[in-house]
């Protein structure tokens, strides 16, 4: 049996006390698949076993952006499927809910449908819609007095976060304003260092569905941290980390390139597409010459440019045998193109729209 170090033991004890104190609450575990939320989940389950109590309700939530790094995406989805069976067999009162952004907010609907340029540091429109809003909206629907949200946040991850944590007398318990009121946040790994987080992953047994070696290999391959979705309060995704495979905020997707070097060659076409998209964004010929609000400056992609992006996505889907834009999203894209055709004609701006017909053939 592996030895558990003092800090980890302390986290389990504090979590055990928290569960005893709030056994009637609805506990919501925000899970991203990364090491921090995996460690938080493991500590939660270890504490639950120790507490020897019944919990009223526990929900594990995962936010699927639809453009996750394909390797992390497959790993997380396998885990969620296996965990569902494991929780049921162990009669653990945990339900799993996968959250997604509404169709109009999804990455390719915005880009191909509305012509949004792929995100940059100064125009990062994606983090809120894809990662933060679905979680915030789910939490906002719960009763704030009776909800505790478990987050895998650690001290010393960012100065901004440390300043916020320092305002509280108990690091483990924080408050978050969302929808109807203030919710309690519980942070089981707040005091743990990165090696202690890995200790938690390797030394605690539940859930067995969590493939710790696969997770470690992923991190080793990508040699980065994983921001994915952490919390409504989390900083935006940062460079050198797992995130969306489409992310053009970073100059180069280092983690994907490292994963390719470590043998995940099927990521190569995704990285090539991302690099192409970043260049395509910067060519003024592909953009309206006014913004949507009529002010000067590069605006959305022209309809021809959106068609070209869609053509490349289709080719990527064919070569990788994946679905990147699903039928529902294609339907919304078709309507958005029609709307843009009409509005451009109404404003009489020069355009390359060619036809005001709906883009027939998009929905497949
Ligand atoms: S990883 Fe990049 S594209 Fe994805 S939400 Fe974060 S900033 Fe946006």
């Amino acid at each position: 049996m592996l030895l558990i170090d003092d800090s980890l033991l302390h986290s389990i004890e504090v979590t055990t006390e928290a569960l005893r104190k709030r056994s009637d609450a609805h506990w919501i575990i925000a899970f991203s698949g990364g090491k921090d939320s995996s460690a938080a989940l493991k500590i939660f389950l270890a504490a639950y076993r120790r507490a020897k109590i019944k919990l009223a309700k526990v929900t594990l939530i995962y936010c699927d952006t639809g453009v996750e790094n394909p390797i992390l995406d497959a790993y997380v989805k396998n885990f969620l499927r296996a965990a569902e069976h494991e929780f049921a067999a162990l009669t653990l009162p945990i339900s799993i809910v996968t959250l997604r952004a509404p169709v109009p907010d999804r990455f390719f609907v915005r880009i191909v449908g509305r012509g949004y340029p792929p995100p940059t540091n100064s125009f990062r429109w994606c983090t809120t819609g894809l990662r933060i809003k679905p979680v915030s909206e789910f939490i906002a629907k719960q009763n704030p007095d009776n909800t505790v949200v478990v987050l895998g946040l650690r001290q010393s991850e960012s100065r901004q976060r440390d300043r916020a944590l320092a305002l509280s007398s108990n690091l483990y318990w924080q408050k978050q304003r969302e929808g109807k009121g203030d919710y309690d946040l519980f942070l089981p790994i707040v005091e743990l260092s990165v090696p202690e987080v890995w200790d938690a992953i390797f030394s605690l047994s539940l859930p067995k569905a969590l493939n710790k070696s696969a997770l470690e290999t992923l991190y080793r391959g990508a040699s980065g941290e994983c921001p994915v979705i952490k919390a409504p309060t989390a900083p935006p995704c940062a460079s050198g980390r797992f995130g969306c495979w489409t992310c053009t905020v970073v100059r180069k997707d280092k983690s994907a390139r490292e994963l390719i070097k470590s043998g995940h060659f099927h990521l190569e076409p995704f990285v090539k597409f991302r690099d192409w998209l970043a260049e395509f964004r910067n060519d003024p010929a592909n953009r309206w010459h006014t913004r949507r609000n009529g002010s000067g400056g590069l605006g959305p992609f022209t309809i021809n440019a959106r068609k070209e992006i869609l053509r490349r996505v289709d080719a990527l889907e064919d070569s990788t045998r994946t679905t990147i834009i699903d039928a529902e999203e294609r339907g919304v894209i078709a309507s958005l193109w029609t709307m843009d055709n009409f509005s451009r004609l109404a404003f009489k701006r020069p355009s390359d729209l060619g036809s005001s017909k709906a883009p027939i053939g998009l929905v497949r």
Side-chain angles (χ1 to χ4, degrees), residues 65 67 107 119 124 126-127 130-131 236-238 242-244 246-249:
T65 61
V67 280
F107 190 86
R124 192 194 304 241
C126 44
T127 314
L130 290 180
R131 298 186 181 279
C237 325
F242 290 128
C244 307
T246 48
C247 186
T248 48
V249 172

Side-chain angles (χ1 to χ4, degrees), residues 112 302-312 337 353 355 359:
V112 179
T302 63
I303 293 284
N304 278 347
R306 291 180 227 175
K307 284 180 183 167
E308 176 59 16
I309 298 170
L310 186 63
R311 197 186 63 73
R312 299 247 181 176
W337 282 14
L353 304 183
S355 159

Side-chain angles (χ1 to χ4, degrees), residues 279-289 298-306 308 344 350-353:
E279 273 187 30
F280 194 71
R281 166 189 68 194
N282 296 335
D283 183 347
N286 297 324
R287 310 271 295 272
W288 289 0
H289 297 304
L298 285 183
F301 281 126
T302 63
I303 293 284
N304 278 347
R306 291 180 227 175
E308 176 59 16
R344 294 292 278 174
S351 76
D352 65 343
L353 304 183

